[in-house]
Amino acid sequence: MRIANHAGRLALVEPDAESPGGLRGLDVERASDGRFAADPQAVYDRWDEFRDWAGTADLAAAVPLGSVDSPGAALGPVAPRPPQVFAVGLNYRDHAAESGMDLPATPLVFTKYASSFTGPQGDITLSPGTVDWEVELVAVIGTGGHRIPAAQGWDHVAGLTVGQDLSDRVAQFAAPPPQFGMGKSYPGFSPMGPALVSVDELRAAGLDPDDLELGCLVNGESVQKGRTGAMIFSVPVLVAELSAIVTLLPGDVVFTGTPAGIGAGRTPPRFLGDGDELVTWCAGIGQMQHRFVTGDRS
Ligand code: ZN
């Protein structure tokens, strides 16, 4: 199953065979005769019930929603107002090495404030400092819980999408210790999409949800390419580690960390500038496309 946020309304979607990268979708509130609300965030509170209904929905009536490179697509974040947002730093060995940091013994967790969320296409205004890319697999929690065993971790994940943990490195490292949450939460710095794909849908497509290929390109040049199988703490282990302390809630969002290839790890460092185009992708999920623009830098 795939869902998307189309113009602020929950849609059940599928890839559009006639438009590469495009989606076809059904408006969930209308197709369910009002049983499920239009609000994309509300669905996670009734995830099991929704999943059962979605299995019976007739996608033959789906209509084209456009693609991420079409301005009319109007796709928003798949979980626009999560109760909690978790982000994990240094979760790939090669990225920890390029950052000059030791490997964490337990997940390094911070937050990205939800006001930084945006959809999978459109312009993002550059912040005053140096803006860096970080492709990340993003998990959205379905059924919550406390002290969830890793063996049951996937059962608590509604689905996966791809995101960017955009980072202003000047704000992040202005003074020790680093300000992860602030430096990564300028408006638009947490894009995600184009759709949320359930774990069983990925498996049905022959993909291993524990080992998905993902990456990003700046102006057509591949700058990050990795596999989630290289994560130090896998998604089910992150569910276990987070829920060992915090009660996970339906609709919570987890940014799972970035592989190597960030701009700050290059010699010389490279950052995003006015007019740069960033394409972000994950196998089985799809891609996002953003352009960076200069805002008020005072
Ligand atoms: Zn990150």
Side-chain angles (χ1 to χ4, degrees), residues 201-226:
E201 174 98 4
L202 291 166
R203 290 191 177 122
L207 295 164
D208 178 356
D210 281 298
D211 188 27
L212 298 171
E213 192 173 44
L214 77 178
C216 65
L217 304 88
V218 177
N219 301 330
E221 178 193 343
S222 177
V223 290
Q224 284 187 291
K225 190 175 183 182

Side-chain angles (χ1 to χ4, degrees), residues 147-244:
R147 296 181 181 158
I148 299 165
Q152 293 166 21
W154 277 124
D155 299 340
H156 291 261
V157 174
L160 300 171
T161 191
V162 66
Q164 274 282 347
D165 177 17
L166 293 170
S167 305
D168 182 316
R169 301 298 183 199
V170 173
Q172 184 182 350
F173 296 109
Q179 289 270 16
F180 289 99
M182 294 296 280
K184 294 163 175 272
S185 293
Y186 282 91
F189 272 32
S190 305
M192 66 179 72
L196 186 83
V197 184
S198 65
V199 175
D200 59 352
E201 174 98 4
L202 291 166
R203 290 191 177 122
L207 295 164
D208 178 356
D210 281 298
D211 188 27
L212 298 171
E213 192 173 44
L214 77 178
C216 65
L217 304 88
V218 177
N219 301 330
E221 178 193 343
S222 177
V223 290
Q224 284 187 291
K225 190 175 183 182
R227 302 193 72 93
T228 62
M231 291 198 299
I232 297 168
F233 304 103
S234 67
V235 171
V237 170
L238 287 175
V239 167
E241 292 274 349
L242 294 171
S243 74

